[in-house]
């Protein structure tokens, strides 16, 4: 778990729980880019305060076994997007404190540590430790980004989604409890700057939505789909990718929309459950190219077993079914494999499913993951909103 530099040095109770449950902690010192100025401050008064807090933090936290490494701060980099390093006066000072008080602990100069801040498409060797994206970037683009990713450590990324309705009700008056946008409503903007999913993603895909609860279901479905696919794609690159950290796990106050997976009141959003399942030690995932299809398209899939503990299993299955549950295709193999088939459904069918299973002894299902895809047509250019809502409602919680 990464404790972000724009936040706090966590309390003792947090570290004690991490010690007890074996949770590795990435603790950043308290400084972060502002989105306007990303260069670490060299102001004497700031460096003095930073040194005081760093000395206290290292002295207090160094005996916790959960503390895995320190980081100089969040997204500190030069104007040409090169992460700060230990030659920077600010970062060098922090490194000297760690070397003196906690010399056996690892330290990163900043997060990401680079050699570039964002994904470098032209120089693949530069994608060691990067940040981004934080939005679902398209029904094809999202999958192409992660299917072709060269990222070795994806230390910050995410997808935005609406908050839980019960949480929103605690801060919104009745007149604001309707489908709206950050651009149009200042109250929404106050609780959701940057994370407006309706105009950029949900309306173009599902059409106009006039019910707030329905909108929340749809927005949370898309957030969960994006986060799950990113995690599974990174895990499929095992030994070429060493980790993924979703921004963000929880929120510090009630948002209307955000990238968090747990709301302010510690209630999970839907993305929490797909995140949970994508990270299981024994898990089956499916590689695919896009979320929406038309009749005549070819669906290309690749099943993969994530097996951290080398558990025994007999084979894997991928079952393709229509929206009524009728089996269209079934693929079976004893290991990871690729397959494809032509999309050929009736004019009225709007979705289809791919259910992946790991089969153990006596046909026991050891893990199952069910994916949903939308069929678009000229008469129905939008994805089936009811199917998205039902997928969330009927998930295996």
């Amino acid at each position: 778990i990464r404790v972000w530099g724009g936040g706090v040095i966590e309390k003792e109770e947090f570290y004690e729980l991490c010690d007890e449950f074996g949770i590795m902690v990435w603790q950043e010192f308290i400084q972060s880019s502002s989105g306007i100025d990303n260069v670490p401050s060299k102001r004497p008064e700031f460096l003095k305060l930073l040194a005081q807090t760093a000395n206290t933090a290292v002295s207090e936290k160094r005996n916790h076994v959960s503390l895995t490494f320190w980081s100089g701060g969040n997204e500190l980099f030069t104007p040409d997007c090169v992460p700060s390093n230990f030659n920077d006066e600010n970062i060098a000072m922090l490194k000297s404190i760690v070397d003196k008080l906690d010399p056996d602990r690892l330290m990163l100069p900043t997060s990401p540590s680079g050699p570039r801040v964002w994904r470098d498409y032209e120089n693949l060797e530069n994608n060691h430790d990067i940040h981004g994206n934080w939005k679902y970037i398209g029904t094809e683009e999202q999958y192409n980004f992660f299917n072709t990713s060269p990222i070795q450590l994806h230390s910050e990324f995410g997808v935005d989604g609406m908050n839980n309705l019960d949480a929103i009700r605690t801060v919104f008056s009745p007149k604001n409890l309707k489908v709206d946008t950050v651009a149009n409503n200042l109250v929404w903007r106050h609780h959701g700057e940057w994370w407006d999913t309706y105009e950029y993603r949900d309306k173009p895909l599902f059409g106009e939505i006039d019910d707030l609860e329905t909108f929340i279901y749809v927005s949370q479905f898309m957030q969960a789909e994006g986060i799950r696919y990113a995690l599974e794609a990174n895990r499929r690159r095992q030994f070429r990718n060493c980790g993924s950290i979703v921004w963000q796990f929880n929120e510090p106050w009630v948002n209307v929309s955000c990238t968090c997976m747990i709301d302010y009141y510690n209630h999970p959003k839907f993305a929490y459950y797909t995140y949970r399942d994508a990270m299981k030690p024994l898990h089956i995932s499916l590689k695919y190219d896009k979320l929406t299809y038309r009749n005549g398209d070819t669906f290309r899939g690749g099943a993969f077993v994530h097996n951290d503990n080398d558990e025994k299993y007999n084979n894997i299955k991928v079952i393709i079914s229509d929206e009524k549950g009728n089996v269209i295709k079934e693929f079976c193999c004893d290991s990871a494999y690729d397959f494809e088939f032509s999309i050929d459904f009736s004019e009225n069918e709007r979705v289809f499913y791919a259910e992946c299973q790991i089969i153990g002894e006596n046909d026991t299902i050891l893990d199952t993951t069910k994916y949903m895809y939308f069929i678009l047509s000229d008469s129905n250019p939008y994805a089936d909103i009811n199917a998205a809502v039902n997928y969330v409602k009927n998930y295996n919680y």
Side-chain angles (χ1 to χ4, degrees), residues 284-298:
I284 187 167
S285 71
L286 189 64
K287 178 182 178 181
Y288 45 94
D289 297 329
K290 54 185 180 177
L291 187 65
T292 59
Y293 294 81
R294 289 178 175 266
N295 275 327
D297 285 353
T298 298

Side-chain angles (χ1 to χ4, degrees), residues 182-364:
V182 166
N184 181 64
N185 186 315
L186 289 178
V187 176
W188 278 54
R189 183 176 182 181
H190 185 60
H191 288 272
E193 185 70 77
W194 293 353
W195 311 120
D196 205 343
T197 71
Y198 186 69
E199 291 290 349
Y200 96 87
R201 184 187 71 198
D202 302 326
K203 188 174 80 169
L205 182 57
F206 293 96
E208 295 279 356
I209 306 172
D210 57 13
D211 176 71
L212 181 60
E213 187 173 15
T214 300
F215 174 39
I216 289 171
Y217 275 118
V218 167
S219 182
Q220 289 199 8
F221 167 78
M222 293 303 299
Q223 178 189 23
E225 164 69 16
I227 288 176
R228 175 177 65 181
Y229 197 84
L231 291 168
E232 291 178 339
N234 282 346
R235 288 192 72 190
R236 283 192 290 270
R237 297 187 298 110
Q238 64 181 19
F239 310 122
R240 291 175 291 123
N241 172 273
C242 65
S244 306
I245 303 180
V246 174
W247 174 260
Q248 68 221 66
F249 186 71
N250 62 327
E251 62 179 4
W253 79 320
V254 181
N255 292 285
V256 65
S257 183
C258 189
T259 56
C260 65
M261 297 182 289
I262 302 288
D263 73 21
Y264 178 79
Y265 302 104
N266 294 325
H267 297 145
K269 292 164 63 176
F270 182 50
Y272 168 82
Y273 296 102
T274 57
Y275 170 91
R276 172 201 67 184
D277 293 342
M279 298 298 285
K280 288 188 292 189
L282 181 64
H283 177 61
I284 187 167
S285 71
L286 189 64
K287 178 182 178 181
Y288 45 94
D289 297 329
K290 54 185 180 177
L291 187 65
T292 59
Y293 294 81
R294 289 178 175 266
N295 275 327
D297 285 353
T298 298
F299 180 94
R300 295 179 176 85
F304 190 93
V305 175
H306 311 272
N307 193 357
D308 292 349
N309 298 329
D310 293 327
E311 296 185 43
K312 293 182 179 180
Y313 64 93
N314 289 345
N315 54 54
I316 57 178
K317 289 183 180 179
V318 179
I319 303 168
I320 309 298
S321 60
D322 63 18
E323 58 188 53
K324 296 179 180 178
N326 301 312
V327 176
I328 305 300
K329 295 276 186 180
E330 185 171 318
F331 305 91
C332 184
C333 189
D334 60 2
S335 61
Y337 65 97
D338 297 329
F339 64 92
E340 64 180 46
F341 66 95
S342 177
I343 306 297
D344 188 18
F345 295 95
S346 72
E347 180 66 23
N348 295 324
E349 289 178 297
R350 307 285 307 283
V351 300
F352 67 97
Y353 301 92
E355 182 170 350
C356 306
Q357 300 175 348
I358 303 176
I359 309 298
E361 294 182 0
N362 302 318
D363 291 330
T364 303

Side-chain angles (χ1 to χ4, degrees), residues 2 26 28 33 71-77 81-85 108-119 126-132 134 151 153-156:
R2 174 175 169 238
W26 169 331
E28 298 191 345
S33 66
S71 169
N74 172 69
E75 292 182 1
L76 307 172
F77 55 88
C81 293
V82 175
S84 301
N85 57 42
L108 291 175
T110 183
S111 175
S113 58
R116 303 291 295 180
V117 176
W118 324 120
R119 178 171 171 174
N126 285 339
N127 294 278
H128 295 180
D129 170 19
I130 73 155
H131 285 185
W134 296 267
I151 303 165
L153 173 61
H154 211 168
S155 58
E156 184 182 315

Side-chain angles (χ1 to χ4, degrees), residues 371-389:
Y371 302 89
M372 179 173 66
Y373 308 94
F374 299 103
I375 304 172
L376 308 183
S377 65
D378 292 338
S379 59
N380 286 308
Y382 296 115
D384 190 331
I385 194 168
N386 293 321
V389 171

Side-chain angles (χ1 to χ4, degrees), residues 53-64:
T53 59
N55 273 288
T56 300
V58 176
S59 298
E60 288 184 353
K61 308 305 180 188
R62 61 188 173 186
N63 291 325
H64 286 285

